[in-house]
Amino acid sequence: MADIKHVIEPERFGLWIAATFVIALLALVVALISLTRVSDLMYITQAETILLNKKIDNANTSADMPAPPVQEEQQ
């Protein structure tokens, strides 16, 4: 049973564990950064939607108003 060939040498388990932990921490940092970016993007998108709705409402109210009478020049 002593001739078992391990994929990772038992002497290097600590190094592999440390490297895996560092990669997991980097993945966590990237995930948190992406969450904040998505949150900011969602806020900006909602603000733009509100502004567009206000512009549409203003356009509709100005379209409902009668146009001012055009004064013709007399010659």
Side-chain angles (χ1 to χ4, degrees), residues 12-34:
R12 299 198 182 256
F13 279 157
L15 178 64
W16 279 94
I17 291 171
T20 305
F21 184 72
V22 168
I23 291 172
L25 284 179
L26 287 174
L28 179 65
V29 168
V30 168
L32 290 175
I33 290 171
S34 66

Side-chain angles (χ1 to χ4, degrees), residues 49-59:
T49 304
I50 291 171
L51 288 174
L52 285 174
N53 283 337
K54 285 182 182 179
K55 284 182 183 180
I56 291 170
D57 286 343
N58 289 340

Side-chain angles (χ1 to χ4, degrees), residues 35-74:
L35 279 176
T36 58
R37 289 178 61 119
V38 166
S39 175
D40 293 343
L41 183 64
M42 184 177 59
Y43 175 75
I44 291 169
T45 303
Q46 288 177 353
E48 286 180 353
T49 304
I50 291 171
L51 288 174
L52 285 174
N53 283 337
K54 285 182 182 179
K55 284 182 183 180
I56 291 170
D57 286 343
N58 289 340
N60 287 340
T61 56
S62 64
D64 292 343
M65 301 173 97
V70 177
Q71 295 181 353
E72 296 179 10
E73 292 183 19
Q74 296 182 0

Side-chain angles (χ1 to χ4, degrees), residues 4-15:
I4 297 176
K5 180 155 171 60
H6 297 282
V7 176
I8 299 172
E9 299 168 3
E11 300 86 33
R12 299 198 182 256
F13 279 157
L15 178 64

